[in-house]
Amino acid sequence: MANNCTRVRHAAWSVSAVALLGLLTACGGGGDSAGGPSTLSGTAAPATGGSASGSASPAPSATPTDGATDGTAGAETSSGGTPSEAVSASGSVSTRCHTSELRASIGRDNPGAGQENFPIVLTNTSSHSCTLRGYPGAAFRSAAGKQLGPDPKRSSGSPDTVTLTPGASAWAGLSFSNPEVSEAKAATPASLLVTPPDERDALTVKWPGGQVPVSGNSSSVFLTVFAPGTGA
């Protein structure tokens, strides 16, 4: 009788172990039996359709324009695909320079072969670093505030992102043929409106360069991309 009870108890333990093993197998799961693929933390969910309908509004157009036509000194200038925030090699974020953080000035003329060449200088007056990339907007103005001549054109060039620490400067070239040489119709501006890349508000600078061509032969004015320094 005792042997029979022992065999019964052993059989009960075996049944319980098998049942427990089955329960653990059903509940444990190695992840392969889940109903769908899991999304890893930090990865974007897969696209469910075609291209997105929205656009990244802060990012400028990849196709530069030749400045504004409404006399706002190219207020909506494009920098050729520059985001409003740039990440440096060290991983720190540097925001683009806004008009309110900059001071504009006109450097000394560097003439040559009948050509006048002035650097447009933007200096960071803020307490933090910011970036410039691309072309400035520019327009000559009379004392009465009227724009003189068409918007400047853009010389060919490859824009680079220029990081300005507080107090640092970047410059873009402004060039035109001397009106006395080209025989273009000329006028003497009172000021130059300068708009930083991707900004709407302009800075007004007293024009020190005398006459500029406004129409006729060789009347075009050209701008270059920003580079570090003052262009001196």
PDB file of all heavy atoms in Angstrom, residues 153-184:
ATOM      1  N   LYS A 153      22.556  90.948 -59.047  1.00  0.00           N
ATOM      2  CA  LYS A 153      22.575  89.554 -59.476  1.00  0.00           C
ATOM      3  C   LYS A 153      23.578  88.780 -58.623  1.00  0.00           C
ATOM      4  O   LYS A 153      24.409  89.366 -57.935  1.00  0.00           O
ATOM      5  CB  LYS A 153      22.966  89.451 -60.951  1.00  0.00           C
ATOM      6  CG  LYS A 153      21.981  90.146 -61.889  1.00  0.00           C
ATOM      7  CD  LYS A 153      22.415  90.009 -63.346  1.00  0.00           C
ATOM      8  CE  LYS A 153      21.435  90.672 -64.290  1.00  0.00           C
ATOM      9  NZ  LYS A 153      21.852  90.542 -65.711  1.00  0.00           N
ATOM     10  N   ARG A 154      23.486  87.460 -58.713  1.00  0.00           N
ATOM     11  CA  ARG A 154      24.373  86.606 -57.929  1.00  0.00           C
ATOM     12  C   ARG A 154      25.481  86.024 -58.784  1.00  0.00           C
ATOM     13  O   ARG A 154      25.226  85.397 -59.804  1.00  0.00           O
ATOM     14  CB  ARG A 154      23.587  85.478 -57.271  1.00  0.00           C
ATOM     15  CG  ARG A 154      22.611  85.984 -56.225  1.00  0.00           C
ATOM     16  CD  ARG A 154      21.833  84.842 -55.616  1.00  0.00           C
ATOM     17  NE  ARG A 154      21.008  85.303 -54.503  1.00  0.00           N
ATOM     18  CZ  ARG A 154      20.276  84.528 -53.746  1.00  0.00           C
ATOM     19  NH1 ARG A 154      20.250  83.227 -53.988  1.00  0.00           N
ATOM     20  NH2 ARG A 154      19.561  85.026 -52.754  1.00  0.00           N
ATOM     21  N   SER A 155      26.722  86.237 -58.352  1.00  0.00           N
ATOM     22  CA  SER A 155      27.849  85.580 -59.003  1.00  0.00           C
ATOM     23  C   SER A 155      27.813  84.102 -58.653  1.00  0.00           C
ATOM     24  O   SER A 155      27.297  83.710 -57.598  1.00  0.00           O
ATOM     25  CB  SER A 155      29.167  86.191 -58.523  1.00  0.00           C
ATOM     26  OG  SER A 155      29.218  87.575 -58.799  1.00  0.00           O
ATOM     27  N   SER A 156      28.347  83.279 -59.534  1.00  0.00           N
ATOM     28  CA  SER A 156      28.375  81.843 -59.252  1.00  0.00           C
ATOM     29  C   SER A 156      29.296  81.575 -58.067  1.00  0.00           C
ATOM     30  O   SER A 156      30.327  82.238 -57.897  1.00  0.00           O
ATOM     31  CB  SER A 156      28.853  81.063 -60.481  1.00  0.00           C
ATOM     32  OG  SER A 156      30.154  81.485 -60.854  1.00  0.00           O
ATOM     33  N   GLY A 157      28.906  80.640 -57.246  1.00  0.00           N
ATOM     34  CA  GLY A 157      29.710  80.297 -56.081  1.00  0.00           C
ATOM     35  C   GLY A 157      29.068  79.168 -55.310  1.00  0.00           C
ATOM     36  O   GLY A 157      27.892  78.860 -55.490  1.00  0.00           O
ATOM     37  N   SER A 158      29.849  78.532 -54.452  1.00  0.00           N
ATOM     38  CA  SER A 158      29.365  77.425 -53.625  1.00  0.00           C
ATOM     39  C   SER A 158      29.252  77.907 -52.186  1.00  0.00           C
ATOM     40  O   SER A 158      30.271  78.134 -51.522  1.00  0.00           O
ATOM     41  CB  SER A 158      30.326  76.230 -53.699  1.00  0.00           C
ATOM     42  OG  SER A 158      30.418  75.747 -55.026  1.00  0.00           O
ATOM     43  N   PRO A 159      28.026  78.088 -51.679  1.00  0.00           N
ATOM     44  CA  PRO A 159      27.870  78.592 -50.309  1.00  0.00           C
ATOM     45  C   PRO A 159      28.434  77.627 -49.277  1.00  0.00           C
ATOM     46  O   PRO A 159      28.291  76.416 -49.394  1.00  0.00           O
ATOM     47  CB  PRO A 159      26.352  78.733 -50.161  1.00  0.00           C
ATOM     48  CG  PRO A 159      25.817  78.768 -51.555  1.00  0.00           C
ATOM     49  CD  PRO A 159      26.732  77.902 -52.359  1.00  0.00           C
ATOM     50  N   ASP A 160      29.090  78.176 -48.272  1.00  0.00           N
ATOM     51  CA  ASP A 160      29.545  77.425 -47.111  1.00  0.00           C
ATOM     52  C   ASP A 160      28.909  78.030 -45.862  1.00  0.00           C
ATOM     53  O   ASP A 160      28.640  79.237 -45.818  1.00  0.00           O
ATOM     54  CB  ASP A 160      31.066  77.473 -46.969  1.00  0.00           C
ATOM     55  CG  ASP A 160      31.774  76.673 -48.044  1.00  0.00           C
ATOM     56  OD1 ASP A 160      31.272  75.589 -48.395  1.00  0.00           O
ATOM     57  OD2 ASP A 160      32.828  77.124 -48.532  1.00  0.00           O
ATOM     58  N   THR A 161      28.666  77.211 -44.868  1.00  0.00           N
ATOM     59  CA  THR A 161      28.131  77.711 -43.605  1.00  0.00           C
ATOM     60  C   THR A 161      29.251  78.383 -42.818  1.00  0.00           C
ATOM     61  O   THR A 161      30.279  77.770 -42.558  1.00  0.00           O
ATOM     62  CB  THR A 161      27.519  76.576 -42.777  1.00  0.00           C
ATOM     63  OG1 THR A 161      26.447  75.979 -43.509  1.00  0.00           O
ATOM     64  CG2 THR A 161      26.975  77.096 -41.452  1.00  0.00           C
ATOM     65  N   VAL A 162      29.048  79.657 -42.485  1.00  0.00           N
ATOM     66  CA  VAL A 162      30.037  80.429 -41.722  1.00  0.00           C
ATOM     67  C   VAL A 162      29.502  80.602 -40.304  1.00  0.00           C
ATOM     68  O   VAL A 162      28.428  81.168 -40.106  1.00  0.00           O
ATOM     69  CB  VAL A 162      30.284  81.807 -42.368  1.00  0.00           C
ATOM     70  CG1 VAL A 162      31.327  82.585 -41.577  1.00  0.00           C
ATOM     71  CG2 VAL A 162      30.717  81.651 -43.823  1.00  0.00           C
ATOM     72  N   THR A 163      30.242  80.111 -39.330  1.00  0.00           N
ATOM     73  CA  THR A 163      29.848  80.254 -37.934  1.00  0.00           C
ATOM     74  C   THR A 163      30.469  81.518 -37.354  1.00  0.00           C
ATOM     75  O   THR A 163      31.686  81.703 -37.419  1.00  0.00           O
ATOM     76  CB  THR A 163      30.293  79.036 -37.110  1.00  0.00           C
ATOM     77  OG1 THR A 163      29.661  77.856 -37.630  1.00  0.00           O
ATOM     78  CG2 THR A 163      29.898  79.192 -35.653  1.00  0.00           C
ATOM     79  N   LEU A 164      29.605  82.378 -36.801  1.00  0.00           N
ATOM     80  CA  LEU A 164      30.073  83.625 -36.199  1.00  0.00           C
ATOM     81  C   LEU A 164      29.963  83.523 -34.686  1.00  0.00           C
ATOM     82  O   LEU A 164      28.862  83.430 -34.135  1.00  0.00           O
ATOM     83  CB  LEU A 164      29.232  84.802 -36.697  1.00  0.00           C
ATOM     84  CG  LEU A 164      29.239  85.091 -38.196  1.00  0.00           C
ATOM     85  CD1 LEU A 164      28.406  86.333 -38.494  1.00  0.00           C
ATOM     86  CD2 LEU A 164      30.655  85.273 -38.713  1.00  0.00           C
ATOM     87  N   THR A 165      31.086  83.535 -34.012  1.00  0.00           N
ATOM     88  CA  THR A 165      31.082  83.667 -32.565  1.00  0.00           C
ATOM     89  C   THR A 165      30.756  85.121 -32.225  1.00  0.00           C
ATOM     90  O   THR A 165      30.800  85.993 -33.100  1.00  0.00           O
ATOM     91  CB  THR A 165      32.451  83.280 -31.990  1.00  0.00           C
ATOM     92  OG1 THR A 165      33.459  84.099 -32.601  1.00  0.00           O
ATOM     93  CG2 THR A 165      32.758  81.812 -32.270  1.00  0.00           C
ATOM     94  N   PRO A 166      30.397  85.426 -30.998  1.00  0.00           N
ATOM     95  CA  PRO A 166      30.098  86.817 -30.658  1.00  0.00           C
ATOM     96  C   PRO A 166      31.235  87.765 -31.043  1.00  0.00           C
ATOM     97  O   PRO A 166      32.392  87.536 -30.700  1.00  0.00           O
ATOM     98  CB  PRO A 166      29.910  86.761 -29.137  1.00  0.00           C
ATOM     99  CG  PRO A 166      29.401  85.383 -28.883  1.00  0.00           C
ATOM    100  CD  PRO A 166      30.131  84.512 -29.857  1.00  0.00           C
ATOM    101  N   GLY A 167      30.901  88.796 -31.811  1.00  0.00           N
ATOM    102  CA  GLY A 167      31.891  89.763 -32.259  1.00  0.00           C
ATOM    103  C   GLY A 167      32.557  89.431 -33.577  1.00  0.00           C
ATOM    104  O   GLY A 167      33.261  90.278 -34.151  1.00  0.00           O
ATOM    105  N   ALA A 168      32.372  88.219 -34.105  1.00  0.00           N
ATOM    106  CA  ALA A 168      33.001  87.814 -35.364  1.00  0.00           C
ATOM    107  C   ALA A 168      32.201  88.310 -36.558  1.00  0.00           C
ATOM    108  O   ALA A 168      31.021  88.644 -36.453  1.00  0.00           O
ATOM    109  CB  ALA A 168      33.147  86.297 -35.415  1.00  0.00           C
ATOM    110  N   SER A 169      32.863  88.349 -37.731  1.00  0.00           N
ATOM    111  CA  SER A 169      32.248  88.918 -38.936  1.00  0.00           C
ATOM    112  C   SER A 169      32.370  87.972 -40.125  1.00  0.00           C
ATOM    113  O   SER A 169      33.232  87.095 -40.172  1.00  0.00           O
ATOM    114  CB  SER A 169      32.913  90.256 -39.301  1.00  0.00           C
ATOM    115  OG  SER A 169      32.790  91.202 -38.263  1.00  0.00           O
ATOM    116  N   ALA A 170      31.482  88.197 -41.090  1.00  0.00           N
ATOM    117  CA  ALA A 170      31.548  87.530 -42.393  1.00  0.00           C
ATOM    118  C   ALA A 170      31.277  88.586 -43.452  1.00  0.00           C
ATOM    119  O   ALA A 170      30.631  89.608 -43.177  1.00  0.00           O
ATOM    120  CB  ALA A 170      30.529  86.397 -42.482  1.00  0.00           C
ATOM    121  N   TRP A 171      31.782  88.351 -44.658  1.00  0.00           N
ATOM    122  CA  TRP A 171      31.607  89.347 -45.702  1.00  0.00           C
ATOM    123  C   TRP A 171      31.172  88.705 -47.019  1.00  0.00           C
ATOM    124  O   TRP A 171      31.454  87.540 -47.294  1.00  0.00           O
ATOM    125  CB  TRP A 171      32.898  90.138 -45.939  1.00  0.00           C
ATOM    126  CG  TRP A 171      33.991  89.321 -46.587  1.00  0.00           C
ATOM    127  CD1 TRP A 171      34.799  88.406 -45.990  1.00  0.00           C
ATOM    128  CD2 TRP A 171      34.358  89.341 -47.969  1.00  0.00           C
ATOM    129  NE1 TRP A 171      35.661  87.847 -46.917  1.00  0.00           N
ATOM    130  CE2 TRP A 171      35.414  88.409 -48.141  1.00  0.00           C
ATOM    131  CE3 TRP A 171      33.907  90.056 -49.082  1.00  0.00           C
ATOM    132  CZ2 TRP A 171      36.016  88.177 -49.361  1.00  0.00           C
ATOM    133  CZ3 TRP A 171      34.513  89.821 -50.313  1.00  0.00           C
ATOM    134  CH2 TRP A 171      35.550  88.894 -50.450  1.00  0.00           C
ATOM    135  N   ALA A 172      30.450  89.495 -47.807  1.00  0.00           N
ATOM    136  CA  ALA A 172      30.054  89.106 -49.165  1.00  0.00           C
ATOM    137  C   ALA A 172      30.428  90.252 -50.097  1.00  0.00           C
ATOM    138  O   ALA A 172      30.276  91.431 -49.745  1.00  0.00           O
ATOM    139  CB  ALA A 172      28.553  88.819 -49.229  1.00  0.00           C
ATOM    140  N   GLY A 173      30.907  89.932 -51.283  1.00  0.00           N
ATOM    141  CA  GLY A 173      31.355  90.963 -52.205  1.00  0.00           C
ATOM    142  C   GLY A 173      30.214  91.605 -52.984  1.00  0.00           C
ATOM    143  O   GLY A 173      29.258  90.939 -53.379  1.00  0.00           O
ATOM    144  N   LEU A 174      30.314  92.911 -53.195  1.00  0.00           N
ATOM    145  CA  LEU A 174      29.397  93.667 -54.049  1.00  0.00           C
ATOM    146  C   LEU A 174      30.243  94.365 -55.103  1.00  0.00           C
ATOM    147  O   LEU A 174      31.121  95.173 -54.759  1.00  0.00           O
ATOM    148  CB  LEU A 174      28.595  94.676 -53.221  1.00  0.00           C
ATOM    149  CG  LEU A 174      27.531  95.499 -53.967  1.00  0.00           C
ATOM    150  CD1 LEU A 174      26.374  95.851 -53.026  1.00  0.00           C
ATOM    151  CD2 LEU A 174      28.116  96.798 -54.538  1.00  0.00           C
ATOM    152  N   SER A 175      30.017  94.035 -56.373  1.00  0.00           N
ATOM    153  CA  SER A 175      30.875  94.533 -57.452  1.00  0.00           C
ATOM    154  C   SER A 175      30.051  95.117 -58.594  1.00  0.00           C
ATOM    155  O   SER A 175      28.939  94.652 -58.868  1.00  0.00           O
ATOM    156  CB  SER A 175      31.751  93.398 -58.005  1.00  0.00           C
ATOM    157  OG  SER A 175      32.548  92.831 -56.982  1.00  0.00           O
ATOM    158  N   PHE A 176      30.615  96.137 -59.261  1.00  0.00           N
ATOM    159  CA  PHE A 176      29.983  96.725 -60.444  1.00  0.00           C
ATOM    160  C   PHE A 176      31.029  97.482 -61.246  1.00  0.00           C
ATOM    161  O   PHE A 176      32.092  97.858 -60.721  1.00  0.00           O
ATOM    162  CB  PHE A 176      28.831  97.659 -60.040  1.00  0.00           C
ATOM    163  CG  PHE A 176      29.216  98.752 -59.080  1.00  0.00           C
ATOM    164  CD1 PHE A 176      29.759  99.966 -59.526  1.00  0.00           C
ATOM    165  CD2 PHE A 176      29.045  98.577 -57.717  1.00  0.00           C
ATOM    166  CE1 PHE A 176      30.108 100.962 -58.633  1.00  0.00           C
ATOM    167  CE2 PHE A 176      29.399  99.568 -56.813  1.00  0.00           C
ATOM    168  CZ  PHE A 176      29.933 100.772 -57.271  1.00  0.00           C
ATOM    169  N   SER A 177      30.737  97.673 -62.514  1.00  0.00           N
ATOM    170  CA  SER A 177      31.635  98.437 -63.373  1.00  0.00           C
ATOM    171  C   SER A 177      31.512  99.922 -63.061  1.00  0.00           C
ATOM    172  O   SER A 177      30.408 100.430 -62.867  1.00  0.00           O
ATOM    173  CB  SER A 177      31.302  98.181 -64.850  1.00  0.00           C
ATOM    174  OG  SER A 177      31.535  96.830 -65.196  1.00  0.00           O
ATOM    175  N   ASN A 178      32.647 100.599 -63.012  1.00  0.00           N
ATOM    176  CA  ASN A 178      32.631 102.034 -62.777  1.00  0.00           C
ATOM    177  C   ASN A 178      31.822 102.725 -63.873  1.00  0.00           C
ATOM    178  O   ASN A 178      32.103 102.531 -65.059  1.00  0.00           O
ATOM    179  CB  ASN A 178      34.066 102.574 -62.762  1.00  0.00           C
ATOM    180  CG  ASN A 178      34.142 104.017 -62.353  1.00  0.00           C
ATOM    181  OD1 ASN A 178      33.463 104.870 -62.914  1.00  0.00           O
ATOM    182  ND2 ASN A 178      34.986 104.296 -61.376  1.00  0.00           N
ATOM    183  N   PRO A 179      30.796 103.518 -63.538  1.00  0.00           N
ATOM    184  CA  PRO A 179      29.952 104.146 -64.564  1.00  0.00           C
ATOM    185  C   PRO A 179      30.715 105.033 -65.531  1.00  0.00           C
ATOM    186  O   PRO A 179      30.335 105.169 -66.693  1.00  0.00           O
ATOM    187  CB  PRO A 179      28.947 104.957 -63.737  1.00  0.00           C
ATOM    188  CG  PRO A 179      28.918 104.294 -62.410  1.00  0.00           C
ATOM    189  CD  PRO A 179      30.303 103.799 -62.188  1.00  0.00           C
ATOM    190  N   GLU A 180      31.806 105.640 -65.079  1.00  0.00           N
ATOM    191  CA  GLU A 180      32.594 106.487 -65.979  1.00  0.00           C
ATOM    192  C   GLU A 180      33.283 105.656 -67.054  1.00  0.00           C
ATOM    193  O   GLU A 180      33.574 106.165 -68.139  1.00  0.00           O
ATOM    194  CB  GLU A 180      33.621 107.273 -65.169  1.00  0.00           C
ATOM    195  CG  GLU A 180      33.006 108.285 -64.207  1.00  0.00           C
ATOM    196  CD  GLU A 180      34.060 109.081 -63.473  1.00  0.00           C
ATOM    197  OE1 GLU A 180      35.265 108.839 -63.722  1.00  0.00           O
ATOM    198  OE2 GLU A 180      33.697 109.938 -62.648  1.00  0.00           O
ATOM    199  N   VAL A 181      33.543 104.391 -66.741  1.00  0.00           N
ATOM    200  CA  VAL A 181      34.173 103.494 -67.706  1.00  0.00           C
ATOM    201  C   VAL A 181      33.123 102.824 -68.587  1.00  0.00           C
ATOM    202  O   VAL A 181      33.280 102.749 -69.815  1.00  0.00           O
ATOM    203  CB  VAL A 181      35.021 102.423 -66.979  1.00  0.00           C
ATOM    204  CG1 VAL A 181      35.595 101.424 -67.989  1.00  0.00           C
ATOM    205  CG2 VAL A 181      36.126 103.067 -66.163  1.00  0.00           C
ATOM    206  N   SER A 182      32.046 102.359 -67.987  1.00  0.00           N
ATOM    207  CA  SER A 182      31.024 101.618 -68.734  1.00  0.00           C
ATOM    208  C   SER A 182      30.035 102.532 -69.458  1.00  0.00           C
ATOM    209  O   SER A 182      29.309 102.070 -70.332  1.00  0.00           O
ATOM    210  CB  SER A 182      30.234 100.726 -67.777  1.00  0.00           C
ATOM    211  OG  SER A 182      29.484 101.514 -66.857  1.00  0.00           O
ATOM    212  N   GLU A 183      30.006 103.823 -69.067  1.00  0.00           N
ATOM    213  CA  GLU A 183      29.062 104.797 -69.621  1.00  0.00           C
ATOM    214  C   GLU A 183      27.613 104.424 -69.326  1.00  0.00           C
ATOM    215  O   GLU A 183      26.698 104.795 -70.053  1.00  0.00           O
ATOM    216  CB  GLU A 183      29.265 104.966 -71.137  1.00  0.00           C
ATOM    217  CG  GLU A 183      30.638 105.496 -71.507  1.00  0.00           C
ATOM    218  CD  GLU A 183      30.792 105.709 -73.000  1.00  0.00           C
ATOM    219  OE1 GLU A 183      29.880 105.315 -73.755  1.00  0.00           O
ATOM    220  OE2 GLU A 183      31.822 106.266 -73.413  1.00  0.00           O
ATOM    221  N   ALA A 184      27.408 103.682 -68.239  1.00  0.00           N
ATOM    222  CA  ALA A 184      26.050 103.376 -67.795  1.00  0.00           C
ATOM    223  C   ALA A 184      25.454 104.605 -67.117  1.00  0.00           C
ATOM    224  O   ALA A 184      26.172 105.477 -66.616  1.00  0.00           O
ATOM    225  CB  ALA A 184      26.065 102.206 -66.817  1.00  0.00           C
TER     226      ALA A 184
END
